[in-house]
Structures are given as structure tokens and as C-alpha cells.
Amino acid sequence: MDYNKRRSALTAKIDADSFLVYNMEGSDFPSMYYLSGFTGEGALLVSSKGPLLITDSRYTEQASREVPKIPVRQVAGSYLDEITDAVTASGYGSVALSGVRTSCSLVNKLCDKLEAKVVITEDPVNELRALKEPEEIERIRAAVKLTEESLTELIRGIRVKMSERELALRLEFIMREKGAEQVAFDLIVAAGENSALPHYQPGERLLKEGDLLLFDIGAKLDRYCADMTRVFSVGKPTARAQGIYDIVLAANKAGIAAVSAGADAKAVDAAARDLIAAEGHAEHFQHGLGHGVGLEVHEGPRLSPMSTDVLQAGMTVTVEPGIYLPGFGGVRIEDLTVVTQDGCEVLTSFPKEELVQVG
Ligand code: GLY
Ligand code: MN
Ligand code: MN
């Protein structure tokens, strides 16, 4: 990864002498890692003069391994004092930071203490991250492959009367056995009526004949996420389940067909949403069609009726239409794509053409 290039792109983008990343308890891990490769806690000051990492004794050895070329300033008292001294010593007249990632508390303290002007921006690092580099795409591809292989292994052993929680646990175990460092998000395993909740948390519900069984899952590998949803039928599908599956599959394909460089995110969303609405299910599909995936499972761009994003080649974007029928169940089919000049490459290859029976 060319961190120098990323930092130069950031300094060219901001309207200030320097940019401050503050990552404590994971508050801005993505920016810290994206701009330096450092995985510990601390503050990173980025400017055209070069980077400076401010960290504490828990991480100085780690910094010497992970970012040997970046100068490190070890915190003696408080982070606030150390950042203030570093900004003063560098002679910066202004410091930009992300208003999305930095707490109001820290912003207030910096405004009080710094002589330099504090410039609160949206999240310029997030904007840079939306456009993936080839190596990032390869890491995401590997995370998708691991996720798919794990689900393939799990479904062979699914039986009636297993619980959602048991399936989620088994799946996470398989992912980790295959080398995942962790799950990209809490795995969603939802049976029957629970599959009507888009962000359901698996519970003690036992599988029974005729249930829809939804898996919204992703592994994290080499720091990059996967995100995929597939739905199965426990035993023979009901006509109602098959009916909504067919509509969602058609909407998923219409959305994928609309993904291309230059496309308005809003129009891609509409390509899938209009199809679902035409089948009388407008009110059963209320979330956005998709989002970027990378270091975080949810990042830019956003596909939704409100989005102003325009797709560019090299962005990743999920296409995940759904129909959710309260009290009955839901279907969502989610694929991860990479935008290309004349369409997209679909990274997800797990079969979706049929509502497959398990159990
Ligand atoms: N896994 C959450 C989502 O698909 O947005
Ligand atoms: Mn998603
Ligand atoms: Mn998902």
C-alpha cells in the first residue's frame, strides 16, 4: 500500500495546513490504518511536511514494527498536551479533523487549547477510501471467497431444530478456522418470521419445516470485509416464500445491471426499487439498496433514494434488495460488486438462482 500517496491525496483535499486523526478505542481505526498502516491507538498528524505519529508506551514497540519510517512522539502526559505541543512545534496555522470521527469533547478541548485554527470537515479520508486500489480489491475478494466457502461448509450440516445462535456460532468458528481474523459484523442468522427484521440478532429460535432461513454474513480478512446475504428454505418452500424470492432475485439482477461508472447512485437504487414497487411491495423494502465495503462493512458510496453519489470505476458497492413481510419472514439477496467503466464485476459467486432447500 502506498501510504505516502494516500497522505498526499488527503493534504491536497483539505483546506488547512494539517489533518489530525485521533484513534482511541477504535474511534478512527480506518483512517489511522489507511493513512499509515499503524494498527494501534494514538493520533496521526498529516501535512505536506510529512506525518507524525503520537502514541503512548503501550504502542511504541508496535509502531517501530509497523511504521518504522514515520517519526513517533511518545506521550509523556496527556494526548491533548502532546498534540498541542506537536502542532505548535510544527508551526501549523490550522488543523483539520473529521467531525464525523472525532468526539465533540475532544474538538472543544482542541479549540480551547490550540492557537492554530481548528477546521471541522466531514470525513475526507472516508471519501478517499471509497475508491479502492487493486490490492484492496484483492483483499476484499479473498474475504468474500472465505465467507462463501464457510457458508458452503455450514449448510451441509444444517438440521431442523438447530437454533439461529448455534448456526451463527458454527459459522463464525468455520470462518476463523479458515483464517478470518474476525467477523466483519455480528453475523445475522434469522429463521422464519425473524427474517423480516433486516438487522436481526440471532436468538434461541429453532429451525422448523417451511421456515425461510436468512444469512447476512461476512468475514474480515487482512483487515478487509466481506458482506453477503443468502436465503434458504428449511424443507420445501411455501408458495409465498418462493414468490417473494423470485421478485427479490429479479430486483437484485436489475440493480447489478444498473451499476456502472458514471451512474447516479440514486438511479441504481431505483432500478431495483421500482421493480419491487411494481410487484406491490414498495412498503416492504425501506432500506437503501447498497453501500461500499472495505476496511469497514458500511462505507461510501451509498445507494439510496437520497444519495447524491456518482459511481466511479474502482468503487465497491453491495446490491441488496429485500422484501420483508412482518410476521411471515423476509428475503434479501446481497452481492458485492466492483464498479467498472462499462458495468461491474460481481465478486460474490455463491449460487442464488434457486431458493435452495436445507435441513
Ligand atoms: N450486513 C449488513 C448489511 O448488509 O448492510
Ligand atoms: Mn450490506
Ligand atoms: Mn449484509
Side-chain angles (χ1 to χ4, degrees):
M1 306 286 187
D2 189 344
Y3 300 108
N4 270 320
K5 196 168 159 202
R6 292 174 176 179
R7 290 192 295 263
S8 299
L10 175 65
T11 49
K13 201 171 164 59
I14 55 167
D15 203 7
D17 296 348
S18 58
F19 187 86
L20 178 71
V21 172
Y22 186 71
N23 176 45
M24 213 45 69
E25 306 276 353
S27 62
D28 198 359
F29 176 87
S31 301
M32 178 64 89
Y33 182 73
Y34 185 78
L35 293 170
S36 69
F38 182 55
T39 63
E41 294 183 325
L44 183 72
L45 204 50
V46 176
S47 83
S48 53
K49 292 185 190 169
L52 173 68
L53 177 64
I54 300 165
T55 191
D56 62 77
S57 60
R58 296 171 300 164
Y59 298 105
T60 39
E61 170 67 10
Q62 188 173 325
S64 69
R65 289 187 191 183
E66 293 180 348
V67 290
K69 292 192 187 136
I70 296 184
V72 174
R73 187 171 173 136
Q74 187 174 325
V75 173
S78 74
Y79 267 95
L80 187 61
D81 288 341
E82 212 64 47
I83 292 168
T84 306
D85 289 351
V87 170
T88 307
S90 306
Y92 300 136
S94 50
V95 183
L97 48 78
S98 163
V100 177
R101 303 276 184 180
T102 320
S103 71
C104 294
S105 160
L106 180 63
V107 172
N108 281 338
K109 286 177 190 155
L110 287 170
C111 286
D112 281 349
K113 204 154 165 84
L114 286 179
E115 292 213 355
K117 184 174 163 220
V118 175
V119 179
I120 302 169
T121 66
E122 274 295 305
D123 193 342
V125 186
N126 220 18
E127 288 166 26
L128 294 174
R129 282 173 41 221
L131 208 54
K132 268 62 183 183
E133 296 155 8
E135 187 178 335
E136 294 183 284
I137 302 283
E138 290 319 306
R139 289 195 194 187
I140 295 165
R141 190 192 302 281
V144 169
K145 185 162 181 278
L146 188 152
T147 301
E148 294 183 330
E149 287 172 357
S150 302
L151 184 60
T152 301
E153 195 170 317
L154 179 82
I155 59 175
R156 283 191 212 117
I158 292 181
R159 299 286 175 265
V160 168
K161 294 213 176 122
M162 284 179 166
S163 75
E164 297 164 335
R165 204 172 274 172
E166 179 182 354
L167 291 177
L169 180 62
R170 282 179 185 237
L171 185 56
E172 180 166 347
F173 191 86
I174 296 169
M175 286 175 171
R176 284 175 176 260
E177 268 187 331
K178 291 184 184 298
E181 55 214 32
Q182 61 186 100
V183 285
F185 52 92
D186 286 342
L187 302 180
I188 300 172
V189 180
E193 66 288 348
N194 295 335
S195 55
L197 282 64
H199 277 180
Y200 177 73
Q201 292 176 316
E204 298 305 333
R205 168 76 156 74
L206 305 181
L207 302 190
K208 64 178 190 328
E209 198 78 18
D211 278 344
L212 281 167
L213 178 60
L214 182 149
F215 292 90
D216 184 348
I217 58 174
K220 191 179 274 192
L221 183 61
D222 280 338
R223 308 277 167 192
Y224 281 77
C225 299
D227 191 12
M228 165 177 93
T229 307
R230 287 293 184 265
V231 174
F232 301 89
S233 174
V234 181
K236 196 168 159 11
T238 63
R240 199 176 183 200
Q242 187 68 58
I244 58 171
Y245 191 92
D246 294 343
I247 299 167
V248 172
L249 180 61
N252 165 278
K253 290 180 180 175
I256 290 172
V259 173
S260 181
D264 286 331
K266 194 189 289 190
V268 178
D269 179 277
R273 191 171 304 279
D274 291 352
L275 196 148
I276 289 174
E279 296 288 344
H281 286 292
E283 80 271 28
H284 300 135
F285 174 39
Q286 302 221 351
H287 60 70
L289 183 67
H291 53 87
V293 174
L295 288 170
E296 293 177 293
V297 71
H298 292 141
E299 50 186 56
R302 303 280 167 177
L303 302 181
S304 87
M306 282 93 69
S307 180
T308 54
D309 293 336
V310 178
L311 299 186
Q312 295 176 52
M315 289 177 163
T316 58
V317 69
T318 65
V319 176
E320 49 180 304
I323 293 180
Y324 310 98
L325 306 177
F328 174 72
V331 170
R332 175 166 66 257
I333 301 176
E334 175 176 27
D335 291 324
L336 181 51
T337 71
V338 183
V339 182
T340 60
Q341 282 307 338
D342 52 1
C344 68
E345 181 193 359
V346 183
L347 298 182
T348 316
S349 64
F350 198 98
K352 63 182 177 185
E353 292 301 322
E354 310 288 337
L355 176 50
V356 170
Q357 292 186 38
V358 293

